[in-house]
Each structure stands twice: as C-alpha cells, then as structure tokens.
Amino acid sequence: KVFEVNWDAEAAEKGGFEHFMLKEIYEQPKAMRDTMTGRVNAEEKTINFPELNWTAEELQGINKIFIVACGTAYHAGIVGKYYLEQLARIPVEVDIASEFRYRSPLIDGNSLCIVISQSGETSDTLAALREAKRLGARTVGVTNVVGSSVAREADQVIYTYAGPEIAVASTKAYTTQLLAMFMFAIYVGRLRNTLDEAYSQELVAGLASIPEQIHVMLEDVDQIKVFAREYGSCEDAFFLGRSLDYAVALEGALKLKEISYIHAEAYAAGELKHGTLALIVSGVPVIVLATQEDVYDKTVSNLQEVKAREAVVIAIGFEGDTVLANHANHVIYIPRTGKYHAPLLAVLPLQ
Ligand code: BG6
C-alpha cells in the first residue's frame, strides 16, 4: 500500500543550524502545534482523537495499561503513567521493551498496551508489541513515522506529527510524545468520567499556551550557554526531582550522557539519601527540578541536603518563585504553567 508522507526536503536539512539536534530543539513550538491540530478544540476546550473514536463502553473492559518503549520514549512513558493514573484512574505499568517480553507479563484481553516509538522500528519495542498482541491485549502505537512497523502492526495509531527527527538523541519527538500522552489521558479521563469537565477545560486551556511559551524560552538561552561553559568539563552530574519532575530528571540525565559524555544519574529526590548521597561531594553539579507544587517543600528540603554537601545546585522552577534563589547556586526560571504541563517546559533547559 502506498503512503503519502508529507515531509518536505527542507525538513530533512539543517536549515542554518549547526547540527540537527539543535534544529529539532527549535522546531518544538511547531511540532507541538502539529500534535494538537485536529485533537484540541480550542473553543470548547476539549480533546478528541478522531483516529481512535472510542466510546465509554469500549473502554469498560480495560482494567490495566502497559506502556512499553526504549530510551527517551520509555521516559515519555513514565510521564504517561502519571498522566493516565491521575487523570484516567487506570493502573499503569511502564516497561523497558527489552525487559518486557522476558518477564512473562500478566497481560490479557482486559489490558491495553501502548508502545511508544519515534521511529516505529526499534526492534525490542516491536517484539514487545507482538508479544502483547499474542497475549490478547488491545494495542495502541504512539509513533512519529507514518507507515512504520509500529503503525502497521498496532491495532490503532496515535501519530505525534513531530516531523522528521534526524538526530539520534530525541528532543521534539519526546515533547510531542509527552503531549500525546497528556491529551490521551484527558481523552480517556473524560470518557471514564474520572476527570470533571471544568478541570479538563482548564488543562486544555493550559495546553494552548505551551508552543508560545516554548518559543519564548528558546529565544533566551544565554544563561544556559554560561552554565554549559562553566560545568561542561565536570565528570559527574546528578538530576533530582519528585513526581513528574523525577520523570523529567531521568530524561535530562540521559541527554547529558548521550550528548556530552558526562556521567549523569537521575534520582527521585527523596531516594538520594539512601546511599547515593555519598557521591554528592563539593563542586558536583546537581540539577534540581522543582515544578511540582504538592511535593515542592520536600524537594526544597532535598535541595538543602545536597547544598549542605557543597554541591553546585542549579534549580529549575517557575517564574515568580522566590524560594529557590535563597537555596540554590543558580536558578533557571521557566514560564508558569500547570503541574501536568510543567514537564513540557522543564525538559527544555535539560535538552
Ligand atoms: C535510541 C535513541 O537509540 O533509541 C533514543 O538514542 C531513542 O533517543 C531510542 O529514544 C528509542 O527509539 P524509538 O525510535 O523507538 O523511539
């Protein structure tokens, strides 16, 4: 079957950027808009997935969701778990694809398996998808590439519409995966009535501002360049956060390892004290994400713990935050947004 792929030649060229990864970071406002097109109704502040066209009845049998992926897409899956459990109230397990098929997963016809893959061709992810189908699960592929193996083999597909991602290290594919999972959770939450209409409208309204907020952030990167110069020769770095901030921290650590060849680890901020604190020595950069209001005080107290060990703390928090500056060495401020929206912005300085 012939597929019409609407990517143009320009999209596969560097367009004046030094390298593809940087170009793709800068393409995120457009990628986010494209992911929302046809799914976000800005006037009614609702989400629809015409390609799924689900009804509440169809979802009744689903009692568990599995999200399976590799690398950055796996990290998007961890964020997706928070979204789906909190907004749609369905238990979610997230698996690394290369582990999933060897652990005899307890998956059956009442399970929904979501595989996330930018390329739609990662072999472990494909094998996991096939295993989930063999066990009778319903499957949805979240992918960027039209007509890819994941798109063809999953029962249904959610395309992320990020445009071609040439750089091996994923950036715009990740943020569009987060966005797709967020919209999907709102969609399922409304169908299951676990999410009330007013709150869902508030969430959708917040989404509409995201592309412009990203655009504004990308216009002002001088501070990021200073940090890169100052700490780019370090050997180790740590990323801390709680809740959704922890999920984003995982992605930040992977980006730093993959691109800068710096050893980096992400920790749930409250877990650091159980051993790893020993590695926090004088001068080690520790990036602390503090965007989640419900765990904010606890995160600040973890920040103080690492500061007491003379780590160099770079905090990431919302504009208008007056607390972080009193404790961290540096603060990167991101535009204020909702707690579920925060990962879409907080990951940018880490990229
Ligand atoms: C890795 C890339 O090799 O593959 C990651 O370095 C990517 O950036 C991962 O997230 C999975 O790829 P895909 O195409 O399945 O999302």
Side-chain angles (χ1 to χ4, degrees):
K1 198 170 166 194
V2 175
F3 286 96
E4 186 85 23
V5 181
N6 60 357
W7 295 350
D8 56 17
E10 198 189 327
E13 286 163 5
K14 280 192 260 179
F17 284 91
E18 237 176 286
H19 43 76
F20 280 114
M21 186 177 171
L22 195 58
K23 176 181 179 241
E24 288 159 10
I25 286 171
Y26 275 82
E27 284 171 345
Q28 288 178 108
K30 179 180 184 315
M32 304 298 263
R33 280 193 195 97
D34 291 348
T35 309
M36 284 193 256
T37 300
R39 292 165 176 161
V40 170
N41 182 326
E43 251 169 56
E44 292 173 14
K45 301 192 183 69
T46 54
I47 300 285
N48 189 23
F49 279 90
E51 63 273 57
L52 301 180
N53 211 8
W54 287 353
T55 60
E57 293 69 46
E58 276 176 76
L59 273 177
Q60 259 163 11
I62 301 292
N63 57 23
K64 192 156 192 184
I65 297 178
F66 290 78
I67 302 177
V68 189
C70 301
T72 291
Y74 168 71
H75 293 156
I78 295 174
V79 175
K81 173 185 166 83
Y82 282 91
Y83 289 159
L84 280 162
E85 289 193 336
Q86 292 186 18
L87 302 175
R89 308 304 292 160
I90 305 178
V92 180
E93 285 189 36
V94 192
D95 273 86
I96 293 170
S98 57
E99 291 291 318
F100 178 77
R101 61 187 155 130
Y102 302 112
R103 74 163 178 103
S104 302
L106 296 170
I107 187 167
D108 58 24
N110 293 323
S111 313
L112 171 69
C113 179
I114 302 172
V115 296
I116 308 178
S117 174
Q118 186 285 127
S119 62
E121 302 295 347
T122 302
S123 68
D124 283 320
T125 306
L126 263 177
L129 170 63
R130 288 171 189 157
E131 178 65 1
K133 284 181 80 168
R134 191 185 68 79
L135 294 168
R138 207 159 141 184
T139 56
V140 170
V142 176
T143 184
N144 192 35
V145 179
V146 175
S148 60
S149 300
V150 162
R152 280 183 281 118
E153 294 190 29
D155 298 331
Q156 287 182 294
V157 192
I158 295 174
Y159 284 116
T160 47
Y161 299 121
E165 190 175 68
I166 315 283
V168 174
S170 185
T171 53
K172 63 176 181 170
Y174 171 78
T175 40
T176 55
Q177 285 160 356
L178 295 194
L179 178 56
M181 293 308 293
F182 189 8
M183 292 191 299
F184 180 71
I186 295 173
Y187 178 68
V188 176
R190 287 299 297 139
L191 283 174
R192 284 169 50 84
N193 228 356
T194 52
L195 183 60
D196 76 53
E197 192 180 2
Y199 186 43
S200 103
Q201 287 180 329
E202 194 185 305
L203 296 176
V204 176
L207 278 180
S209 321
I210 293 287
E212 182 55 23
Q213 287 174 319
I214 294 179
H215 173 76
V216 169
M217 287 173 76
L218 293 174
E219 287 301 295
D220 179 18
V221 294
D222 290 349
Q223 185 192 22
I224 302 285
K225 287 182 181 172
V226 171
F227 292 154
R229 257 181 243 122
E230 202 159 327
Y231 303 112
S233 56
C234 69
E235 288 185 359
D236 306 286
F238 290 83
F239 292 75
L240 305 183
R242 285 172 177 258
S243 178
L244 280 163
D245 282 334
Y246 169 53
V248 177
L250 289 165
E251 176 56 10
L254 176 62
K255 283 284 92 74
L256 195 67
K257 283 182 272 201
E258 193 170 5
I259 297 306
S260 312
Y261 304 162
I262 293 171
H263 164 240
E265 280 191 56
Y267 258 84
E271 180 63 10
L272 192 74
K273 57 180 168 289
H274 300 293
T276 309
L277 197 59
L279 296 176
I280 307 294
V281 292
S282 177
V284 168
V286 180
I287 292 94
V288 180
L289 292 106
T291 71
Q292 299 296 303
E293 211 174 297
D294 38 358
V295 287
Y296 181 84
D297 292 343
K298 285 177 178 290
T299 305
V300 170
S301 114
N302 298 133
L303 188 162
Q304 288 168 318
E305 283 162 14
V306 292
K307 191 73 201 321
R309 296 182 66 93
E310 295 178 4
V312 177
V313 177
I314 302 175
I316 298 180
F318 287 131
E319 277 163 3
D321 182 310
T322 52
V323 175
L324 291 174
N326 298 329
H327 303 290
N329 299 74
H330 313 283
V331 185
I332 298 174
Y333 292 102
I334 64 170
R336 199 163 272 282
T337 185
K339 69 170 180 175
Y340 296 116
H341 309 74
L344 297 164
L345 304 183
V347 76
L348 293 186
L350 311 184
Q351 294 176 340

